[in-house]
């Protein structure tokens, strides 16, 4: 209630992916699942969001923050495998467009020991030009499916 008193015009994600999410406070039912996007449903007062999914990692020798100490929720041995898995995850989310309003892929860049980004920690692309085009195509298809579905979705009628 305090957050709403401070700013009544914004949506509130009370505990992004955390245990307090089970109390259904705020405007968002937000789950974090790795590596695949979890299944989440809206409620009468909350929209559904996969607040984090992904964690696929190709470890690029010579481009690790701490060589030999990389972590990923799922290590993929070749960049083409990461592209294939990411594309599958996007299609999975597309199939839930009638229920899931938002999703966040984790993560775009490697960060220290987490080597699960599209870019290395020093911002070097891990993918070939054609693989990058495939990632873009999968992402754009997800965005397009979301935009197309908006025209058929009832207007959210939360508790405001």
């Amino acid at each position: 209630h305090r957050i709403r008193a401070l700013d009544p015009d914004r949506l509130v994600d009370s505990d992004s992916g955390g245990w307090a999410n089970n109390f259904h406070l705020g405007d968002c039912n937000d789950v974090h699942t790795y590596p695949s996007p979890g299944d989440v449903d809206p409620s009468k007062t909350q929209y559904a969001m996969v607040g984090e999914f992904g964690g696929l990692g190709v470890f690029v020798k010579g481009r690790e923050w701490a060589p030999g100490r990389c972590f990923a929720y799922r290590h993929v041995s070749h960049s083409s495998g990461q592209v294939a898995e990411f594309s599958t995850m996007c299609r999975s989310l597309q199939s839930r467009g009638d229920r899931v309003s938002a999703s966040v892929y984790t993560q775009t860049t490697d960060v220290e020991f987490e080597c699960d980004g599209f870019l290395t920690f020093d911002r070097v692309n891990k993918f070939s030009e054609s693989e990058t085009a495939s990632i873009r195509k999968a992402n754009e298809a997800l965005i397009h499916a979301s935009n197309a579905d908006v025209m058929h979705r009832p207007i959210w009628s939360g508790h405001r």
Side-chain angles (χ1 to χ4, degrees), residues 20-40:
N21 193 53
N22 295 328
F23 294 118
H24 301 285
L25 303 171
D27 299 304
C28 182
N29 184 13
D30 178 358
V31 299
H32 294 190
T33 56
Y34 297 97
S36 299
D39 202 16
V40 60

Side-chain angles (χ1 to χ4, degrees), residues 66-125:
R69 296 182 61 196
C70 275
F71 167 81
Y73 287 96
R74 181 178 296 150
H75 176 246
V76 183
S77 60
H78 192 272
S79 58
S80 62
Q82 186 170 351
V83 173
E85 288 198 48
F86 175 77
S87 298
T88 297
M89 291 175 179
C90 287
R91 285 191 300 276
S92 173
L93 285 165
Q94 286 174 6
S95 72
R96 299 180 232 164
D98 61 330
R99 297 179 289 127
V100 177
S101 297
S103 63
V104 179
Y105 181 80
T106 301
Q107 53 202 16
T108 55
T109 60
D110 290 354
V111 179
E112 297 176 355
F113 301 111
E114 295 181 16
C115 301
D116 54 359
F118 290 134
L119 305 175
T120 63
F121 80 93
D122 55 350
R123 307 309 188 254
V124 172
N125 189 348

